[in-house]
Amino acid sequence: MSADAATPAPAPAPAPGPHGVGRARQNAIYRPGALGIEPAVPTSTVELERRARRAMSRRAWAYVAGGAGDGATMRANREAFDRWRVVPRVLHGTTERDLRTSVLGTDLAAPLLLAPVGAAGLITDDADLKIAEGAHASGIPYVFSCQGSSPMEETAAAMRGTPFWYQLYWSTDEELVDSMIGRAEAAGAQALVVTLDTTMLGWRTQDLDLGSLPFARGIGIAQYTSDPRFMALVRERVAAAQSADGGAGLGIDPRKPLTAARAARSGVGTLLSMARSHPGATRDNLRSPEPRAAVEAFLDIYSNPGLSWDHVATLRERTSLPVLLKGVLHPDDALRALDAGVDGLIVSNHGGRQVDRSVAALDALVRVREAVGPEPTVLMDSGIRTGADVFVALALGADACLLGRPHVYGLALDGAAGVGAVIDNVVAELDLTMGLVGAGSVDAITRDLLEG
């Protein structure tokens, strides 16, 4: 229920004090609640998903919430967490918690980063900028998606000094790979995350049943259309097509206005989406062959099915940034990656979106940490929903966790403020869990606090 317009605004909640961010977050919710104001973003993960689904289009929900096949991997990710139980300790006298940590030179206010989620433009305009604003407000780093809907330079500006990393999908064009890395360095990224498990799209049934691929509509390719190397490839494609068809260029003649009949034949919704997503004025883009050529170029080169260890071996010559490999699930791959000189691993099954009946990411984390030992940097992604989940993953060997779908649900409900609310809720629950079990720091979250 909402307070009416005459109700005075509640006094601002106090800044986190010696009792921790968990208590401060509770106060920030309970104080307005005393005036009848409920939070715009629910704290229950079940209710968060339910409301987000109502707020999102069918295409957006299918892309964000859907997984591979029948969803067995998504279920396995959650079932793996359900097999572990926290064992609280009492009379420990712990009154203060320090959630701060550092990962590969990036200082974290809490052991949490926002995971890259592609094509968030399905949900709202300027989605990546709003996610960045929410991340900044909560002081949590954001791993920019290579399939973002805003150029990385604009998203970096929206972070306003809060650290960020950049996710790289390895293109079939090596010059484009170098261009993306160079831009990430110039924009201020503090690490490079190379995603390994999406060299081709998995069998994503919810998207398939809608015939929905956002990239085919120009959504989620802003890192590419803002890249000089990619746009050079697009213009080469346009020139070749114009030469081949007598100047029409990919079937869209820039000398003729786009009539309703021609638009209907080509798919008016798709053409409008391409035009809106491409740099420049929509009206001009409707008359240009470039938006369609950009989509076709992207679909041709966006990821490299031939990605191998030989490619990874070139990274040390291509960047001075710390490099993490995302998508590692097998202990042998983890060991080989470290032998190849990478700086960190992200244990992930892409949120269950790529291979159905894959091993659960949390189960893989246990085996990877046992194989590599205590020193290497290992992060955990896939299945994280709550602060208690973060606690379990840390106890099982993760140095930090990546939060994916929930922050996008917050975006759908309340924009940048919704992203921040989801982050704050997860961090608050982590802090309270630490306080209730007697862990005063991230390092104190150890396996002896779990039973499974």
Side-chain angles (χ1 to χ4, degrees):
M1 129 177 93
S2 299
D4 61 40
T7 302
H19 298 299
V21 295
R23 290 274 296 275
R25 181 61 180 161
Q26 288 174 324
N27 288 341
I29 295 173
Y30 286 139
R31 287 162 65 92
L35 299 176
I37 303 171
E38 296 178 0
V41 176
T43 60
S44 159
T45 59
V46 173
E47 185 65 10
L48 175 65
E49 290 190 18
R50 188 183 73 83
R51 291 196 203 173
R53 183 169 190 170
R54 284 168 39 192
M56 293 162 69
S57 70
R58 290 178 68 207
R59 284 194 175 108
W61 177 257
Y63 184 80
V64 174
D70 289 331
T73 303
M74 293 176 62
R75 293 191 296 274
N77 282 338
R78 293 304 308 156
E79 290 165 359
F81 278 99
D82 290 341
R83 287 193 291 272
W84 292 95
R85 297 288 182 267
V86 177
V87 182
R89 304 300 301 271
V90 297
L91 300 177
H92 44 70
T94 302
T95 59
E96 297 183 14
R97 278 84 59 201
D98 186 355
L99 275 64
R100 293 173 298 174
T101 188
S102 180
V103 176
L104 298 177
T106 299
D107 293 330
L108 307 181
L112 190 71
L113 303 92
L114 293 189
V117 178
L122 284 165
I123 297 162
T124 182
D125 291 339
D126 296 328
D128 298 79
L129 305 185
K130 291 172 182 174
I131 294 170
E133 291 167 9
H136 166 73
S138 296
I140 294 297
Y142 174 24
V143 183
F144 294 178
S145 174
C146 196
Q147 311 312 129
S149 297
S150 293
M152 66 180 84
E153 293 82 2
E154 295 179 13
T155 312
M159 290 297 288
R160 294 165 53 190
T162 301
F164 68 91
W165 295 356
Y166 182 70
Q167 175 205 36
L168 177 72
Y169 278 117
W170 206 293
S171 169
T172 56
D173 185 88
E174 293 293 327
E175 290 185 49
L176 179 57
V177 172
D178 286 330
S179 183
M180 290 276 193
I181 293 173
R183 289 173 60 204
E185 291 175 338
Q190 294 193 12
L192 184 69
V193 175
V194 182
T195 294
L196 306 177
D197 55 13
T198 317
T199 55
M200 61 186 78
L201 288 180
W203 189 248
R204 301 180 182 179
T205 53
Q206 290 195 41
D207 290 330
L208 288 163
D209 288 347
L210 293 174
S212 175
L213 181 65
F215 315 118
R217 298 169 63 88
I219 299 170
I221 66 171
Q223 307 295 15
Y224 297 79
T225 55
S226 58
D227 192 276
R229 169 59 184 170
F230 180 79
M231 289 308 298
L233 295 172
V234 170
R235 291 176 186 121
E236 289 173 9
R237 180 180 286 258
V238 170
Q242 288 176 334
S243 175
D245 66 11
L250 298 161
I252 304 175
D253 190 341
R255 298 168 297 180
K256 298 179 181 179
L258 185 70
T259 65
R262 289 175 63 236
R265 287 196 302 270
S266 302
V268 63
T270 295
L271 287 174
L272 285 170
S273 179
M274 290 179 184
R276 289 183 67 243
S277 301
H278 199 75
T282 300
R283 185 182 182 89
D284 294 338
N285 287 338
L286 285 170
R287 291 175 166 82
S288 170
E290 276 196 4
R292 181 172 166 184
V295 166
E296 293 179 349
F298 169 81
L299 294 175
D300 279 350
I301 71 171
Y302 100 97
S303 193
N304 187 349
L307 188 62
S308 71
W309 292 106
D310 290 338
H311 291 85
V312 171
T314 68
L315 285 169
R316 285 281 62 100
E317 302 171 356
R318 301 171 95 145
T319 183
S320 59
L321 293 176
V323 173
L324 300 96
L325 300 186
K326 180 175 179 286
V328 176
L329 294 169
H330 196 287
D332 290 351
D333 289 340
L335 291 168
R336 185 165 183 179
L338 295 172
D339 287 343
V342 303
D343 301 286
L345 309 169
I346 301 179
V347 176
S348 169
N349 58 29
H350 216 91
R353 293 165 59 77
Q354 280 298 97
V355 176
D356 205 17
R357 305 205 176 280
S358 166
V359 60
L362 188 69
D363 293 339
L365 169 68
V366 173
R367 291 191 284 272
V368 165
R369 179 54 84 186
E370 289 175 350
V372 304
E375 294 304 320
T377 296
V378 179
L379 279 67
M380 158 72 188
D381 168 81
S382 300
I384 298 288
R385 294 292 179 270
T386 68
D389 293 342
V390 175
F391 184 94
V392 169
L394 295 174
L396 292 176
D399 293 301
C401 296
L402 276 66
L403 182 71
R405 290 181 176 96
H407 82 257
V408 181
Y409 298 154
L411 173 73
L413 291 177
D414 199 19
V419 174
V422 168
I423 296 169
D424 292 346
N425 292 342
V426 170
V427 173
E429 187 182 12
L430 172 62
D431 175 69
L432 293 169
T433 303
M434 291 171 63
L436 289 166
V437 305
S441 68
V442 172
D443 290 341
I445 302 174
T446 53
R447 192 161 177 165
D448 63 346
L449 293 172
L450 298 183
E451 183 179 281

